[in-house]
Amino acid sequence: MRLTDKVHQILKGHLKPGDYAIDATAGNGHDTLFLAEQVGASGQVIAIDLQACAIESTRQRLTASKVDDRVVLYEGDHASQLESLVEGRSHQIAAVVFNLGYLPGSDRIVQTQPDNTRRALNAAIRLLATGGWLCVIAYRGHPGGTEEARAVEDWMRTRQSAGNRVE
């Protein structure tokens, strides 16, 4: 089973119509579409990506599936965008999904970075509602990927040692 399928399987049992969810790394829109289907017409998804081509690809996927009306797309880095959402959406989000690395089929030079991802994760936990889910996939198969995966792992360990539930 692919890791993205596992994340979808986990979230399928937790997301419900009317929920709010965030795809912090929209990419080609696969996770965004999944989230939009789970939250239904009464819910909302926020999808973020640094690259205009990713936002456009996601928009096309959502429009083709007729769920574009329940998704707000933001072009920008995930840390800054999530930090800007904290004030208005603190403790309201049922799930935040990260699929770290680079956009398949695009320039591999443009990729998520450990320091920025740590900032994004810090904002994400402030956005999560009680019982909310933070799902992070870190692709190691590219230069810098192992370093970022370790940064995420360290970040998670720090939260777990502080008494938070981390799976």
Side-chain angles (χ1 to χ4, degrees):
M1 175 183 283
R2 294 179 345 177
L3 288 174
T4 52
D5 293 336
K6 184 171 176 100
V7 166
H8 291 185
Q9 185 179 49
I10 289 167
L11 290 178
K12 200 172 224 175
H14 294 281
L15 289 174
K16 60 188 180 316
D19 278 345
Y20 293 96
I22 296 174
D23 183 352
T25 52
N28 286 312
H30 297 285
D31 290 334
T32 308
L33 175 59
F34 167 78
L35 294 170
E37 290 169 341
Q38 299 310 300
V39 303
S42 59
Q44 185 182 49
V45 175
I46 295 169
I48 302 164
D49 206 283
L50 184 61
Q51 298 182 71
C53 62
I55 294 296
E56 185 53 34
S57 178
T58 299
R59 184 185 325 280
Q60 289 174 12
R61 184 173 306 283
L62 298 170
T63 300
S65 296
K66 298 183 167 92
V67 296
D68 52 317
D69 60 332
R70 56 185 91 159
V71 179
V72 178
L73 299 168
Y74 291 108
E75 184 181 337
D77 82 81
H78 55 298
S80 297
Q81 294 296 326
L82 291 171
E83 288 168 345
S84 73
L85 292 170
V86 169
E87 188 172 323
R89 301 275 184 159
S90 182
H91 306 296
Q92 295 180 14
I93 307 298
V96 181
V97 176
F98 289 81
N99 194 339
L100 303 170
Y102 61 87
L103 177 64
S106 73
D107 184 355
R108 292 184 181 200
I109 299 295
V110 179
Q111 55 188 259
T112 54
Q113 300 294 319
D115 290 340
N116 212 34
T117 295
R118 278 189 286 266
R119 280 182 47 217
L121 291 169
N122 285 329
I125 61 169
R126 293 172 57 205
L127 290 162
L128 285 174
T130 302
W133 283 77
L134 174 62
C135 301
V136 183
I137 297 173
Y139 179 62
R140 298 172 186 257
H142 63 90
T146 299
E147 178 188 354
E148 185 171 37
R150 282 190 188 128
V152 170
E153 204 173 327
D154 290 346
W155 184 90
M156 293 279 186
R157 271 199 201 100
T158 301
R159 298 303 162 289
Q160 191 171 26
S161 66
N164 296 310
R165 185 175 144 205
V166 177
E167 297 180 27

